[in-house]
Amino acid sequence: MPRFTDKTVIVTGAAGALGAGMVRRFAAEDARVVVGARRREQVTALLDELGTDRAVFAQLDVTSEQDWTAAIATAEAAFGPVSVLVNNAARAIVGTTMSLTPDEFREVIDTNLVGTFLGTRAAVPSMRRRGGGSIVNINSTAGIGTAAGLAAYGTSKWGIRGLTRISAKELGRDNIRVNGVHPGIIETPLAYDPATGELIVGIDDQPIPRLADVDEISSLVLFVASDDAGYSTGAEFVADGGYLLGPVPAAKP
């Protein structure tokens, strides 16, 4: 049975591989999806694939309050009040505390943490009109462990972790759940250093020594967003191939 019939879902960062994958999965389960991206041409093929009865575009720079106001208005006009918000848009700049410039640090914080804050603020009144809702913040193993060399990204994800738990406590009596999903390294461009083309974090010594597939992470997000996880709020759902467990010891000869 489809889990999102008659539900309005907003997915940010829909131009990326994970965002597009989640949009497709929500649409396949009968949701009406607002496809959030900075520019329409980034998601034209996705919109054409799904059709206007299933998906609409919202021009959404997640750091802009005006864009968020417009996105919620677009959602309500097309499909009705918002039931699900997936805060997925993300920015990563490789660099240490000492090598990053202040502007680079702010750019990552503004997209990842402030963008999540603004999205939550914008969506909650619509969810209240609906009678409740579900917010899923896409986090990272960098929001639970340490991420040397990703000082801004890791800091932003730790901030999202706190915001998720605080929002969950504040919004629970409104029948609005807020949870975090912490993927490991997914097979997307974000997994690679744009300067070298190498993986940002190694996977060879983790218990499941491979990258995550977009569809398996999307499956987890849909579960967390759905009523199947209706008693979970402020929770952290990890899908990292065992990365946070530490490296697998080398086999003895």
Side-chain angles (χ1 to χ4, degrees):
M1 291 287 293
R3 291 175 290 182
F4 298 96
T5 301
D6 296 328
K7 291 189 176 182
T8 302
V9 177
I10 298 177
V11 177
T12 72
L18 179 59
M22 291 188 293
V23 167
R24 291 187 176 96
R25 288 294 303 275
F26 276 114
E29 292 212 29
D30 214 22
R32 304 299 187 262
V33 189
V34 178
V35 179
R38 286 175 178 266
R39 298 184 302 279
R40 186 184 185 91
E41 59 266 27
Q42 295 176 304
V43 293
T44 298
L46 181 61
L47 292 166
D48 290 344
E49 172 189 331
L50 298 178
T52 55
D53 62 332
R54 187 69 64 190
V56 296
F57 171 70
Q59 182 174 325
L60 186 54
D61 173 351
V62 296
T63 68
S64 166
E65 291 183 71
Q66 291 77 17
D67 278 10
W68 272 112
T69 299
I72 299 300
T74 295
E76 294 196 333
F79 302 134
V82 177
S83 295
V84 176
L85 167 64
V86 181
N87 283 310
N88 170 65
R91 180 82 170 93
I93 299 177
V94 177
T96 67
T97 305
M98 298 307 295
S99 68
L100 286 168
T101 67
D103 283 346
E104 288 173 329
F105 189 86
R106 291 188 188 100
E107 181 180 345
V108 173
I109 296 296
D110 282 350
T111 298
N112 299 358
L113 179 54
V114 178
T116 299
F117 167 74
L118 292 176
T120 301
R121 279 177 56 87
V124 163
S126 186
M127 290 181 174
R128 284 174 173 155
R129 288 191 287 274
R130 176 84 185 210
S134 175
I135 298 172
V136 183
N137 295 328
I138 306 301
N139 204 300
S140 167
T141 53
I144 296 177
T146 54
L150 288 171
Y153 183 80
T155 300
S156 73
K157 294 300 186 178
W158 272 88
I160 292 170
R161 188 182 184 189
L163 179 62
T164 298
R165 293 171 69 86
I166 291 166
S167 300
K169 195 163 190 177
E170 293 175 344
L171 299 172
R173 298 302 174 88
D174 292 310
N175 196 31
I176 297 172
R177 299 183 299 109
V178 188
N179 291 291
V181 170
H182 295 255
I185 307 300
I186 309 171
E187 182 58 76
T188 74
L190 281 175
Y192 298 89
D193 184 334
T196 66
E198 297 179 352
L199 280 171
I200 293 173
V201 178
I203 58 171
D204 291 341
D205 60 355
Q206 70 184 30
I208 301 175
R210 65 172 175 84
L211 298 173
D213 180 76
V214 164
D215 198 55
E216 64 190 341
I217 302 301
S218 297
S219 293
L220 177 58
V221 171
L222 264 71
F223 166 74
V224 175
S226 76
D227 292 341
D228 289 342
Y231 199 52
S232 295
T233 195
E236 298 171 337
F237 295 83
V238 178
D240 69 344
Y243 169 77
L244 290 170
L245 299 174
V248 175
K252 293 181 179 180

